[in-house]
Amino acid sequence: MSKRKRLLWKILSVLTVLALLFIFSNSLQSDFLVGQRKGRVMKAVETVLEWLTGRDIVFEAAHRVMFAKIGHVLEYCLFSALFTVAVLLPYGENRKDAFYRIFYCCAFVALADEHLQTLGVGRSPSLTDSIVDLAACYIGYGAGYVFLLLYGRRQNRIREKA
């Protein structure tokens, strides 16, 4: 593995661990703190939408659930994409069974995340959240794999020019 590829792999590995720590730290927070964070995010989105549309925007209670699911999707997509690239980058084209290994690890993280929520005051695990997390892992895997394909094509073009 080249020095540049090794550096990229190290950076991606650190970012993957940081994403995982972010996910787990959110799970350990109390219901009150999670509610406050959701409220701040929703207020920020309302403000931006009001600025863009010029109208008053007020989200209903159903929107809070939607924002929570979007948050799950974003954090798990990011984690899965980083993890996918970090795992597959050193192997080049030898990726035959990597999908299963990556997805099992992501499934373990999703289930551990839901279990950790039982430690937060007023929090409980949710099967719906686990399903959303796993679906987001698929999306993140796809994004990471596409990134690797594009990266490989770029590297091939650089080699052909040299």
Side-chain angles (χ1 to χ4, degrees):
M1 194 162 47
S2 68
K3 285 185 180 182
R4 174 180 264 166
K5 205 173 188 181
R6 193 172 302 126
L7 176 65
L8 179 60
W9 178 78
K10 288 178 182 178
I11 291 170
L12 287 168
S13 297
V14 168
L15 289 175
T16 301
V17 170
L18 290 175
L20 181 62
L21 291 174
F22 176 76
I23 290 171
F24 286 164
S25 70
N26 284 338
S27 297
L28 292 171
Q29 292 183 349
S30 69
D31 189 36
F32 177 73
L33 291 175
V34 171
Q36 280 186 327
R37 180 179 291 151
K38 285 180 192 174
R40 286 193 306 266
V41 169
M42 289 187 67
K43 184 62 180 164
V45 171
E46 285 175 351
T47 303
V48 169
L49 289 176
E50 287 173 355
W51 180 78
L52 288 173
T53 62
R55 293 188 279 173
D56 287 337
I57 304 289
V58 178
F59 290 124
E60 299 172 11
H63 294 119
R64 288 188 183 277
V65 174
M66 180 184 71
F67 272 93
K69 301 305 178 208
I70 290 171
H72 274 266
V73 168
L74 292 176
E75 66 186 6
Y76 273 90
C77 278
L78 178 65
F79 166 72
S80 181
L82 290 170
F83 185 61
T84 298
V85 175
V87 167
L88 296 180
L89 187 65
Y91 298 109
E93 296 300 320
N94 302 325
R95 308 176 187 148
K96 295 183 182 184
D97 63 342
F99 170 77
Y100 299 109
R101 292 179 184 185
I102 291 169
F103 196 70
Y104 289 145
C105 290
C106 289
F108 175 77
V109 168
L111 294 173
D113 175 45
E114 290 304 313
H115 181 69
L116 282 175
Q117 285 185 15
T118 61
L119 302 176
V121 177
R123 307 270 316 267
S124 61
S126 167
L127 180 61
T128 307
D129 284 349
S130 294
I131 292 169
V132 169
D133 297 344
L134 293 174
C137 286
Y138 276 120
I139 296 167
Y141 176 84
Y145 198 80
V146 167
F147 172 80
L148 280 173
L149 290 176
L150 295 175
Y151 179 78
R153 285 184 184 174
R154 182 174 181 268
Q155 293 301 93
N156 288 339
R157 284 189 205 138
I158 291 171
R159 277 189 227 118
E160 288 172 0
K161 288 182 181 179

